[in-house]
Amino acid sequence: DFIYLELGERGLKTSDIMGAKVTVSLEISDYHIDTGEQISKLEQLWGNPQINKGLISEISKEGFDTVRLPVTYFNHLSDDGTIDREFLNRVEEVVDWILDEDLYCIIDLQHDTGNDGWIKASDDNYDKNKVIVYYIFYQIAEKFKDKNDHLILEGLNETVNDQNQWGDIPLDDLEVMNDWNQLFVDAVRSTGGNNAERYLLVNTYAALPTEECLRAFKMPEDTAEGKIFVGIHCYFNKNNMRENFRTIKKYSDRYNFLIGEYAFSNGIEERKGLLEDFLNSTDELKIGALWWDDGNTSNFGIIDRKTSKWIYTDILSLITGK
């Protein structure tokens, strides 16, 4: 019924606001999607069907050797960061389907980061959430520590600062990403088993391949030798592709890069030519790259997930070389 404002805390007196009108607004942040505890709904948020074993078999049959499985945990966590067991079992089920096809499988924390995520590249956010995030990493690592070396664990996806900046980023925020990456490596290695020597993937700030992000990136200290990939995401166009690859090449002798996401939209007229140029550059630099298929065949999707039929066989052939 009433709104109370402590004017003194705002440096105001009642005389300062004579005749003022109070407008009430509501901003929802740190939101959680209510799925009614139906895990399948999370897999269908972008209009996709649930992942099934037939889809994984079809991907394997066409010559792919790696599947990146993005996983978002935020509405499957208790207040202390405990992951819902049923949800983690579902992740394991899909991971096992991928490994059973003798494919490499990458799993990460996906939309817990990003513009709408709750994990940010800032000192305040790191201090606030590092204990819970470490615990999340630990639970995932513990769950999968006995999987074979075809499983690659990835840390945080596209982590941005509190202002959601994708350029002209303060150095302090760029360097916080190094802290998150070290936290991830430490958590995984602490679980032992096959995780002691497992390949890991850590990303630059926002997974950007820019000069400012690569210059600020610091390789985490690791008890295993030569077992860390540096992840970047490369959504290039014809105007910036050459320049971006020049930057990547500058750092390619220093880091083992893995392009965790790239794609060209179906709406781009020269998509096939751009893809050819892109793959020529990754081949030259000997960098693996994973096409981001969002399930939308009018955008980045090249397979119909409802039927497991390939829609854009020309793009498929370029990627697989078949």
Side-chain angles (χ1 to χ4, degrees):
D1 293 334
F2 299 95
I3 296 174
Y4 295 92
L5 299 175
E6 292 290 342
L7 299 182
E9 293 179 0
R10 294 164 174 80
L12 296 172
K13 297 177 293 187
T14 53
S15 59
D16 294 327
I17 58 171
M18 289 291 290
K21 294 182 179 179
V22 176
T23 301
V24 180
S25 63
L26 174 65
E27 177 183 343
I28 300 176
S29 59
D30 292 333
Y31 61 86
H32 288 64
I33 298 173
D34 180 8
T35 62
E37 298 182 355
Q38 296 182 42
I39 290 173
S40 63
K41 286 188 177 180
L42 277 181
E43 295 181 36
Q44 298 170 311
L45 285 178
W46 287 2
N48 289 305
Q50 276 191 278
I51 300 171
N52 59 74
K53 196 171 184 178
L55 175 66
I56 305 302
S57 296
E58 181 62 30
I59 291 169
S60 175
K61 185 180 75 174
E62 287 301 323
F64 289 91
D65 58 18
T66 305
V67 172
R68 181 170 177 258
L69 181 67
V71 186
T72 300
Y73 291 90
F74 63 77
N75 63 323
H76 287 297
L77 300 173
S78 65
D79 290 341
D80 69 351
T82 301
I83 303 171
D84 177 73
R85 182 179 298 179
E86 184 183 357
F87 179 70
L88 202 52
N89 287 341
R90 170 59 177 164
V91 176
E92 183 181 34
E93 179 179 42
V94 179
V95 166
D96 285 343
W97 290 341
I98 297 169
L99 298 180
D100 287 346
E101 292 287 344
D102 202 29
L103 298 167
Y104 285 91
C105 177
I106 301 172
I107 56 173
D108 73 340
L109 268 70
Q110 185 75 12
H111 287 126
D112 298 278
T113 64
N115 287 356
D116 298 319
W118 61 279
I119 303 172
K120 297 287 189 175
S122 71
D123 285 322
D124 287 345
N125 189 278
Y126 181 81
D127 290 341
K128 174 185 175 183
N129 292 314
K130 62 183 178 182
V131 173
I132 287 179
V133 174
Y134 182 96
Y135 182 39
I136 293 169
F137 285 145
Y138 181 88
Q139 292 170 85
I140 296 167
E142 184 70 21
K143 178 73 170 180
F144 294 101
K145 70 179 182 181
D146 295 328
K147 303 300 180 184
N148 65 35
D149 61 4
H150 274 208
L151 176 65
I152 298 171
L153 297 180
E154 178 181 351
L156 302 177
N157 179 48
E158 295 176 351
T159 312
V160 294
N161 62 9
D162 294 329
Q163 291 73 42
N164 295 337
Q165 289 176 273
W166 291 76
D168 297 323
I169 304 141
L171 180 59
D172 286 349
D173 294 341
L174 292 171
E175 291 179 342
V176 170
M177 194 65 225
N178 297 325
D179 296 331
W180 281 125
N181 286 335
Q182 188 66 63
L183 190 82
F184 163 68
V185 172
D186 291 345
V188 174
R189 296 301 186 215
S190 73
T191 60
N194 291 340
N195 287 340
E197 293 288 331
R198 186 178 306 283
Y199 276 98
L200 306 179
L201 174 60
V202 299
N203 294 316
T204 62
Y205 175 100
L208 289 170
T210 58
E211 174 66 34
E212 67 171 338
C213 292
L214 289 170
R215 185 172 58 246
F217 175 84
K218 180 182 177 181
M219 182 68 80
E221 295 181 5
D222 192 11
T223 53
E225 185 175 351
K227 291 295 183 75
I228 295 180
F229 291 106
V230 177
I232 50 177
H233 295 174
C234 301
Y235 292 96
F236 299 158
N237 57 52
K238 65 180 179 181
N239 297 320
N240 65 18
M241 189 184 304
R242 186 169 299 178
E243 177 184 353
N244 278 310
F245 271 116
R246 276 200 298 267
T247 302
I248 294 169
K249 184 176 182 178
K250 178 180 175 181
Y251 289 89
S252 61
D253 289 338
R254 191 180 308 178
Y255 304 125
N256 291 321
F257 283 121
L258 181 62
I259 299 173
E261 295 182 18
Y262 81 96
F264 299 96
S265 172
N266 178 41
I268 300 176
E269 184 177 344
E270 65 272 26
R271 177 161 79 152
K272 187 174 179 180
L274 286 172
L275 178 57
E276 288 176 327
D277 291 344
F278 185 94
L279 294 176
N280 285 338
S281 295
T282 58
D283 286 348
E284 178 186 346
L285 295 175
K286 295 181 173 58
I287 297 175
L290 290 93
W291 178 274
W292 176 260
D293 189 310
D294 61 357
N296 181 358
T297 55
S298 64
N299 192 32
F300 297 141
I302 60 175
I303 187 172
D304 184 337
R305 297 192 195 181
K306 295 180 177 66
T307 63
S308 297
K309 301 296 183 184
W310 298 96
I311 306 301
Y312 298 103
T313 54
D314 55 342
I315 301 300
L316 172 66
S317 296
L318 283 173
I319 295 172
T320 62
K322 293 177 65 176

